[in-house]
Amino acid sequence: TRSTRPQRLLKAVQEKAMKGDPQSVISTIDYFCRHSEWAMNVGDEKGSILDSVVCEVSPTTALELGTYCGYSTVRIARLLPPGTQLITLEFNPAFAAVARQVIEYAGLHNKVCLVEGASGDMIPKMREMFGIKTFDFVFLDHWKDRYLPDIKLLEGCQLLRKGSILLADNVICPGTPEYLEYVRNSPHYKSMYYKSHLEYTKVEDGLEKSVFLG
Ligand SMILES: O=C(NCCCCc1cc2ccncc2s1)c1cc(-c2ccc(F)cc2)cc(O)c1O
Ligand SMILES: [Mg+2]
């Protein structure tokens, strides 16, 4: 049967990137998505903004909702000091299977825990599964209509603390209107918008960074 796009992306990584070198895995995926097949990775332009926020926060506990092929997982994990933990959640088993291999190829499997499951089911289990007290950083890049219910779930499960940083992808395209309205108007968040473009295109998109005020 025909291969899938994530499988073709993985093949490009295995054939062209340097094993154990996260930057070459990132560059190979960006090249593949620009010159072979578009794929919904956060991409290089928004990825640089993600990098700067991760470096600013330098989280000890981080959560990513929506792994896909592991591109942003590699971007985040390569910046984390030893002893930190990135938990990434993926719903689609085929995506998860590819992501595991991309993360492993980048040599970052010791910093990443990839969990298969739906955010709504898994968030309430985070504390007991990982002994997590709170998350310093959360990257939202999963179903766009799950951003708002899932931050309310994180709040409800006391997984956010004063100063926790949320960074949300695709707030313009495909768009997350209810989420934006909430974080920009709630007294519990201080939000700011980083204008950018949809990965590998000229279409406007952006990231919204929100600090939980408790
Ligand atoms: O849907 C997107 N991303 C979510 C994939 C959903 C996978 C999930 C992970 C998970 C984990 C836990 N619980 C539940 C879920 S559901 C997405 C789509 C576009 C796009 C933009 C323009 C287009 F024309 C076509 C696609 C761009 C992007 O950057 C995206 O991130
Ligand atoms: Mg995205």
Side-chain angles (χ1 to χ4, degrees), residues 146-211:
R146 284 297 314 179
Y147 284 23
L148 183 52
D150 284 343
I151 65 163
K152 290 187 170 171
L153 196 52
L154 286 164
E155 284 178 41
C157 297
Q158 272 89 40
L159 286 166
L160 300 180
R161 56 148 172 95
K162 223 188 269 293
S164 289
I165 301 289
L166 307 177
L167 188 65
D169 188 26
N170 310 117
V171 296
I172 304 299
C173 176
T176 63
E178 300 83 9
Y179 174 81
L180 269 193
E181 207 271 331
Y182 180 78
V183 291
R184 288 179 175 174
N185 298 300
S186 162
H188 299 291
Y189 292 92
K190 174 94 188 75
S191 264
M192 68 182 286
Y193 174 61
Y194 293 83
K195 184 177 160 80
S196 184
H197 295 93
L198 177 68
E199 47 268 28
Y200 318 114
T201 77
K202 292 186 168 55
V203 173
E204 184 181 344
D205 189 20
L207 300 171
E208 186 83 359
K209 182 177 86 167
S210 307
V211 186

Side-chain angles (χ1 to χ4, degrees), residues 9-39:
L9 181 150
L10 172 62
K11 185 165 174 285
V13 167
Q14 291 166 334
E15 287 175 353
K16 298 185 175 61
M18 206 104 66
K19 196 157 174 41
D21 177 349
Q23 189 52 58
S24 86
V25 168
I26 292 164
S27 307
T28 300
I29 293 173
D30 286 330
Y31 188 91
F32 176 84
C33 293
R34 275 192 191 286
H35 302 286
S36 301
E37 302 183 63
W38 185 93

Side-chain angles (χ1 to χ4, degrees), residues 85-106:
Q85 194 180 14
L86 171 60
I87 295 166
T88 182
L89 223 41
E90 181 48 57
F91 174 73
N92 179 316
F95 293 172
V98 165
R100 284 189 204 289
Q101 295 175 79
V102 167
I103 293 159
E104 154 84 31
Y105 197 86

Side-chain angles (χ1 to χ4, degrees), residues 130-144:
F130 299 102
I132 294 278
K133 202 172 162 315
T134 55
F135 287 111
D136 302 325
F137 177 78
V138 182
F139 181 54
L140 297 99
D141 193 21
H142 61 327
W143 282 322
K144 307 316 161 192

